Amino acid sequence: MQKFVELARVLSDGVGYTLGLFFATLVMSIPIGFLLMFTRVSRNRVVRGVTGVYVWIMRGTPLLLQLYFFYYGLAFIPGLKNFLVMDRMTAAIVAFTLNYAAYFCEIFRGGMLTIEQGQYEAAKVLGFSKSQTFFRIVLPQLIRVTLPSVSNEVITLVKDTALVTAIGVTEILYFAKGAVNRMVDASAYVVAALFYLAMNFAVTKLFDWLEKRSSYIDMAR
């Protein structure tokens, strides 16, 4: 038991980086994904096409490859290496944010497609402006419809944070690997798994509460 307590203390040194990457990715990728959703459903074919290519690239290539590109690859681009070279954590945040923004964009786009055209027409008849229609009618439904999918992506994000150990970010798995090498014992991986499970348990409970909350609001209406 004492060994596991000691391992937990050692691995806790990486929790700050894991949580930092997790929250930074969410804070930036969700708003960016939301904005991309508007360009994804734009009537302008060029804007819609450019966003579509971006989403296709970010969803069609491995996140680990994107990490390598932003940390190692930018240094080999002539004329840009003096401006775009980033430290490990910054490169990780950029890669994760751009990757998850593409996924959130598609989730929100799918939610928008569930809104019936008749609701827009009814809002127009009632004298609602476009902004009023969006914020008072469309957005509440969009949030409710997309919550389960967003929840799945956030859970995946918790697990994906372990990928940054590949570029040397000292998060939980980084310390777990070091402990395993020193002790020649896989116990540290078990402790690391418990850390990730605990974080995902908290995320799951939060989204369960949010889904129930959104259901209560709908019933109240």
Side-chain angles (χ1 to χ4, degrees), residues 23-71:
F23 286 113
T25 300
L26 281 186
V27 167
M28 290 188 286
S29 65
I30 289 179
I32 293 174
F34 201 76
L35 293 174
L36 287 173
M37 177 265 293
F38 289 108
T39 63
R40 193 79 169 92
V41 298
S42 171
R43 294 180 180 179
N44 187 310
R45 293 179 61 184
V46 175
V47 172
R48 190 170 65 246
V50 170
T51 307
V53 170
Y54 165 78
V55 170
W56 173 64
I57 292 173
M58 300 310 292
R59 296 175 70 201
T61 56
L63 177 54
L64 183 58
L65 177 61
Q66 294 165 23
L67 277 170
Y68 284 146
F69 174 77
F70 283 105
Y71 184 59

Side-chain angles (χ1 to χ4, degrees), residues 142-192:
L142 179 64
I143 292 173
R144 178 176 57 80
V145 169
T146 59
L147 264 179
S149 297
V150 171
S151 172
N152 288 335
E153 282 302 308
V154 175
I155 289 172
T156 300
L157 173 59
V158 171
K159 296 180 290 184
D160 278 352
T161 56
L163 291 174
V164 297
T165 191
I167 60 172
V169 176
T170 53
E171 47 71 65
I172 294 172
L173 186 59
Y174 179 93
F175 285 102
K177 288 175 63 178
V180 169
N181 292 335
R182 287 195 308 272
M183 301 170 62
V184 194
D185 184 340
S187 299
Y189 289 144
V190 175
V191 177

Side-chain angles (χ1 to χ4, degrees), residues 49 54 68 79 84-85 97 101 103 108 118 127 187 209 211:
Y54 165 78
Y68 284 146
L84 293 178
V85 174
T97 296
Y103 282 93
F108 297 142
S187 299
W209 179 82
E211 288 183 34

